[in-house]
Amino acid sequence: MKRLTLLLAGAALSLGMTLPASDPLTVSEGDEHGHDSSASAPEGPHDRPPLDVVLDIHTDAWLRAPSEDWFEAQAELDPDRFSYVDDLLDIDGDTEGGYQDKLGEYELRYDAEEDEIAYWQYISADRLTQGRRDYVQFCSSCHGFDGDGYGRSGQHLRPPPRNFTKPFYKFTKVPGHLLPSDESLILLVERGLNGTPMLPWALSRDQLNDIIQYLKSLSPEGVGWRDVYSEVGHIVESDGDPWTGREAEAIQAGQDVYHGTAKCYSCHPGYVTPEKLAEINGLPAGSMPRENFTYPIAKITENYEVQGVPMLLLPPDFTWQDVRAGTTPLELFETIGAGIGGTAMPQWKGSLSDKDIWAMAYYVRSLIETYKGHPEKRAEFMSSLRTGR
Ligand code: HEC
Ligand code: HEC
């Protein structure tokens, strides 16, 4: 709660108030406009919901759950709760096996209209209300009261706050064509996004969990978590860092993959001289793959837009721009492995070996550590590439 407590305390001090001893996040029952009618109760700065904002949700939701592998793993962890049943569903006389959750939160269901079987997660209206209350309190100023990304404070932010009615996420480290798991979303909100107004949020796990369920429930019918064909994925995994203790070697290998097999420079800047590039790719000296090789190329994406205008995204130059989702080798492995959902940045896990992805994680980190925050050193390095010296 560090950052939040500070924020609340700051706001209270500047208003000359004391913080209420009770949970300052509890939103009291209001009249039809959401106003607190019990005038006698002391109000914390965040106690009162904004005008005309409905906080209560009256409908339960069924949202897409992870796939069978996930249930298999859960059944191993908690066999009292999850078990495999051979004839769980009976569809037109045929039986279908699947995992059963004794608590009833997850269910394998048959969608007759689409003729599809899928796992779903039940979220009660109470839980959605809890999530919505915290969402309105903490997130709506940027992400909007309806989760569409047009909050009052978010209207002029670029990149814009995420629109939760669309199924696209960039930094959850889950391969981009899949929906992010609950865990990946919670970690993202706890970690925040470097260099953006999306700060790390020190809320409790229960609060985060409820907020996440609420965000998922913003999917319109047939989209995202309400689409029977959606798949929920997980943070990309690695069998361990193959370069431990050999960091310098990893950086060299990473530089070669970045400028060779992976061709990261087709969007991000290249960071080697033309001679070196030719050497890595076994090409005649002096042949350049593109103009302005040491500059990134902006990419347009329809999936992220502001009032119908598609965003132009600049693949970051690691020597000075922010990498949002963390810069440890593991974080970079996961980000590069998963790609950036809904953008040009592809998933690399699967098309490159884990060893190569790890090597690039070390290489990208070395660019960040050597040049970011050292503008003179960076200028010298980049101009040495540009003049070919
Ligand atoms: C001060 C503005 C602001 C507030 C408050 C805020 N966000 Fe964000 N959020 C952003 C911006 C901006 C982005 C997009 C960053 C980008 O695309 O680089 C974002 C992105 C996100 C993403 C998507 C990340 C992805 O992988 O695509 C999630 C999830 C998210 N926010 C959740 C929350 C939650 C939950 C809260 C409240 C606890 C919250 N945000 C509060 C500004 C904010
Ligand atoms: C087809 C274009 C394209 C290619 C190829 C590409 N990227 Fe990206 N990359 C992007 C875009 C676009 C973004 C920025 C997304 C945003 O911030 O909205 C990005 C972002 C990143 C980020 C920052 C993520 C963060 O947390 O902010 C890293 C790291 C990265 N790319 C590494 C790589 C590496 C390594 C390669 C080669 C294996 C690569 N990229 C290849 C387009 C590309």
Side-chain angles (χ1 to χ4, degrees), residues 120-292:
W120 296 84
Q121 183 181 7
Y122 171 77
I123 317 288
S124 70
D126 274 356
R127 205 169 161 204
L128 291 174
T129 299
Q130 284 308 317
R132 167 141 179 94
R133 289 181 171 214
D134 281 341
Y135 173 85
V136 166
Q137 199 78 272
F138 303 122
C139 323
S140 66
S141 55
C142 291
H143 291 280
F145 289 127
D146 304 322
D148 59 2
Y150 296 118
R152 216 160 233 261
S153 317
Q155 293 184 3
H156 306 286
L157 297 179
R158 300 292 179 272
R162 196 67 65 252
N163 171 357
F164 297 121
T165 66
K166 298 222 169 171
F168 301 108
Y169 290 82
K170 286 186 191 170
F171 303 113
T172 59
K173 300 163 194 288
V174 171
H177 61 288
L178 303 171
L179 290 175
S181 63
D182 290 2
E183 187 63 15
S184 71
L185 284 168
I186 290 175
L187 285 174
L188 185 144
V189 178
E190 281 183 333
R191 190 184 57 223
L193 297 172
N194 300 339
T196 82
M198 175 66 202
L199 301 174
W201 288 90
L203 298 166
S204 76
R205 273 274 156 156
D206 282 347
Q207 282 177 304
L208 287 170
N209 215 330
D210 291 346
I211 295 177
I212 292 308
Q213 302 312 332
Y214 170 68
L215 295 187
K216 287 159 53 181
S217 78
L218 295 171
S219 290
E221 206 45 56
V223 176
W225 280 276
R226 293 185 197 265
D227 177 1
V228 67
Y229 295 105
S230 288
E231 258 186 76
V232 177
H234 300 280
I235 296 180
V236 296
E237 283 183 9
S238 138
D239 293 336
D241 178 354
W243 299 98
T244 313
R246 294 187 297 146
E247 202 168 306
E249 222 182 299
I251 294 171
Q252 275 310 311
Q255 176 179 292
D256 286 1
V257 182
Y258 185 103
H259 297 95
T261 343
K263 298 192 172 47
C264 308
Y265 59 71
S266 52
C267 299
H268 296 270
Y271 300 101
V272 293
T273 58
E275 293 75 30
K276 183 73 189 166
L277 184 74
E279 184 196 314
I280 292 171
N281 290 291
L283 293 169
S287 52
M288 290 304 280
R290 67 169 169 95
E291 278 181 21
N292 298 325

Side-chain angles (χ1 to χ4, degrees), residues 171 173 192-196 268 316-328 331-332 335 364 368 372:
F171 303 113
K173 300 163 194 288
L193 297 172
N194 300 339
T196 82
H268 296 270
D317 177 338
F318 307 114
T319 62
W320 70 276
Q321 279 165 314
D322 287 303
V323 165
R324 309 275 153 76
T327 56
T328 66
E331 286 170 322
L332 285 164
T335 299
V364 168
I368 297 168
K372 192 167 188 288

